[in-house]
């Protein structure tokens, strides 16, 4: 069928701009959809054409399936790229696209539905012979059921919403009293945020490492990995810094992890680009955490070390082409680190929207995937991420040093940002040694006084 002539991007900000760049290189026209808050956003101007789809609130614009589908029909877009967030992992939206004869750039609705349920994902991975964290594989209806099973598994435990994500619908409990309180509240939160009250229990893994594997598979039975990313620097269960390769793994462990991830991909008959996420315990045992059936925020880390364009891979797979490369042809070189720049207080993590009065980026020294330019307004309606800073060098030390230098040259004025936090991490001895876990930001005392005078 050949590559697409025109695609609609059902997203906004930096990921919309990122998709536009690849489409421009490939000669594909793009349709941006935008909300009231994004009228002046760069991605609206950079797309071939743009369609207004509603008010600033996401549910009235970017989450409105009818408006998005209508925009695709009106502009003659053959395919829709969902980016990440919003409708990117919504199987109902995939079905709507199929019904309209529009190609969804991502996996099938059936696989998305399986992986969208943490309970179903656990079952599928266990069937594939992939280790999962000890816990329940069935939804728990009553607190009495939860208490009985908790006695078998042992505390501490996580109470989790099966449909949860982004750190929502998760509670750590240390004993029966805490479980009795957390179970109904998590169930209620699951219904409120995800429309699904399914809740399960999982053994708490203390001081874990969070390491994910980038995978890709086509419609012709081919599947490959593009190596791993370490994502253990997090706040509120959301990633702040990612790097590849992981400083934690030796080569034998890496090979085992990568081959295990491909087992899961093949078991699911997965197609397109995706990410298999794992956690490692203190004894270096690893367990399946979840699968993201979309492009990840941190995909540039993989692109920098492999030289591959993952958006192009997505487009080619969706157009029913074979994978661009075989496993043997995918080579990783050097080291890459990504820092997420957020408009938020670096100590409390509270969002800090405002007008970007000044934005200075040393563009010749790093890759900047930013959704805004100087003069834009950062609104409170969406995620507070301003953009991503990605650097690549021959080894990890050189990459950290390069990132430190780049961060020092950046100027972001108009709102609070976490720039000083990113700088402090790059200089921290535990981070530099690679000896950090997901509790790093909670346990390490970082100097956030802004010694270099940024924002």
């Amino acid at each position: 069928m050949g590559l697409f002539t025109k695609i609609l991007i059902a997203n906004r900000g930096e990921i919309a701009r990122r998709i536009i760049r690849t489409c421009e290189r490939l000669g594909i026209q793009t349709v941006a959809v935008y909300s009231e808050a994004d009228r002046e956003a760069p991605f609206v101007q950079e797309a071939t054409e743009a369609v207004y789809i509603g008010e600033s609130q996401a549910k009235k614009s970017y989450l409105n399936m009818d408006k998005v589908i209508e925009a695709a029909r009106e502009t003659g877009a053959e395919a829709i790229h969902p980016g990440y967030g919003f409708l990117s992992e919504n199987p109902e939206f995939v079905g709507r696209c199929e019904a309209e004869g529009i190609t969804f750039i991502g996996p099938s609705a059936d696989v998305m539905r399986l992986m969208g349920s943490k309970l179903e994902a656990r079952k599928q991975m266990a069937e594939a012979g992939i280790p999962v964290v000890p816990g329940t594989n069935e939804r728990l209806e009553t607190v009495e059921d939860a208490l009985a099973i908790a006695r078998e598994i042992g505390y501490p435990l996580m109470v989790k919403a099966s449909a949860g994500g982004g750190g929502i619908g998760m509670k750590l409990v240390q004993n029966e009293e805490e479980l009795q309180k957390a179970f109904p509240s998590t169930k209620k939160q699951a219904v409120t945020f995800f429309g699904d009250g399914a809740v399960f229990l999982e053994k708490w893994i203390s001081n874990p490492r969070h390491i994910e594997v980038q995978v890709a598979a086509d419609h012709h039975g081919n599947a490959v990995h593009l190596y791993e990313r370490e994502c253990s620097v997090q706040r509120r269960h959301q990633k702040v810094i990612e790097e590849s390769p992981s400083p934690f793994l030796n080569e034998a462990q890496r090979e085992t992890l990568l081959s295990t991830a491909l087992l899961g991909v093949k078991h699911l008959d997965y197609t397109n680009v995706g990410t298999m996420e794992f956690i490692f315990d203190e004894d270096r045992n690893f367990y399946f955490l979840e699968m993201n059936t979309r492009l990840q925020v941190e995909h540039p880390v993989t692109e920098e070390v492999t030289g591959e364009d993952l958006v192009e891979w997505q487009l080619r797979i969706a157009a029913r082409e074979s994978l661009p490369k075989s496993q043997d042809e995918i080579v990783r070189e050097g080291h890459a680190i990504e820092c997420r720049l957020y408009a938020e207080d670096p100590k409390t993590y509270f969002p800090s929207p405002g007008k970007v009065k000044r934005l200075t980026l040393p563009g010749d020294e790093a890759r900047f995937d930013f959704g805004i330019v100087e003069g834009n307004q950062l609104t409170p309606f969406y995620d507070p991420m301003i953009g991503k800073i990605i650097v690549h060098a021959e080894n990890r030390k050189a990459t950290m040093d390069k990132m430190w230098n780049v961060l020092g040259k950046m100027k972001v004025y108009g709102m609070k940002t976490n720039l000083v936090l990113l700088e402090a991490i790059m200089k921290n001895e535990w981070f530099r040694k690679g000896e950090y876990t997901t509790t790093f930001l909670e346990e390490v005392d970082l100097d956030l006084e802004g010694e270099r005078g940024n924002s």
Side-chain angles (χ1 to χ4, degrees), residues 14-58:
E14 71 88 11
I15 191 59
R17 298 182 83 190
R18 164 72 193 86
I19 296 163
I20 289 168
R21 285 202 304 275
T22 290
C23 288
E24 283 181 342
R25 181 172 59 78
L26 296 173
I28 299 171
Q29 296 177 54
T30 51
V31 180
V33 291
Y34 66 93
S35 70
E36 187 62 41
D38 282 335
R39 278 192 182 276
E40 305 301 320
F43 78 94
V44 178
Q45 277 76 49
E46 291 166 355
T48 313
E49 54 191 303
V51 179
Y52 172 75
I53 56 166
E55 297 173 38
S56 300
Q57 294 89 344

Side-chain angles (χ1 to χ4, degrees), residues 4 23 76 94 141 163 242 273 277 292 294 353 381 389 411 414:
F4 309 104
C23 288
V94 180
E141 299 296 344
E242 302 95 359
V273 163
E277 303 207 7
N292 286 298
R294 54 169 167 78
F381 296 106
I389 307 112
K411 302 294 177 190

Side-chain angles (χ1 to χ4, degrees), residues 13-199:
E14 71 88 11
I15 191 59
R17 298 182 83 190
R18 164 72 193 86
I19 296 163
I20 289 168
R21 285 202 304 275
T22 290
C23 288
E24 283 181 342
R25 181 172 59 78
L26 296 173
I28 299 171
Q29 296 177 54
T30 51
V31 180
V33 291
Y34 66 93
S35 70
E36 187 62 41
D38 282 335
R39 278 192 182 276
E40 305 301 320
F43 78 94
V44 178
Q45 277 76 49
E46 291 166 355
T48 313
E49 54 191 303
V51 179
Y52 172 75
I53 56 166
E55 297 173 38
S56 300
Q57 294 89 344
K59 67 180 180 181
K60 295 182 178 179
S61 50
Y62 299 108
L63 289 172
N64 188 321
M65 293 187 214
D66 292 337
K67 293 279 185 71
V68 173
I69 295 284
E70 185 183 341
R73 276 205 310 258
E74 286 179 358
T75 57
E78 305 146 81
I80 293 178
H81 195 305
Y84 52 74
F86 296 133
L87 297 170
S88 65
E89 293 180 286
N90 187 316
E92 183 187 344
F93 181 64
V94 180
R96 291 283 301 275
C97 290
E98 289 172 359
E100 294 286 343
I102 299 168
T103 300
F104 177 82
I105 299 169
S108 69
D110 288 343
V111 169
M112 193 176 284
R113 199 170 283 111
L114 285 176
M115 293 298 99
S117 161
K118 287 184 167 59
L119 271 172
E120 193 56 50
R122 284 172 59 85
K123 289 182 196 174
Q124 292 292 327
M125 292 304 111
E127 283 178 17
I130 294 171
V132 297
V133 179
T136 55
N137 287 343
E138 302 294 338
R139 64 187 290 157
L140 298 170
E141 299 296 344
T142 68
V143 70
E144 287 76 23
D145 290 340
L147 288 166
I149 290 169
R151 290 182 196 115
E152 294 175 22
I153 302 171
Y155 294 92
L157 288 166
M158 288 294 284
V159 186
K160 285 189 169 184
S162 179
I168 299 170
M170 299 166 57
K171 285 195 175 71
L172 173 63
V173 296
Q174 302 285 352
N175 51 51
E176 290 199 352
E177 185 181 355
E178 289 184 11
L179 177 55
Q180 284 176 313
K181 292 177 183 176
F183 186 83
S185 62
T186 305
K187 205 170 175 62
K188 183 179 179 182
Q189 194 178 42
V191 172
T192 302
F193 282 91
F194 311 110
D196 180 355
V199 168

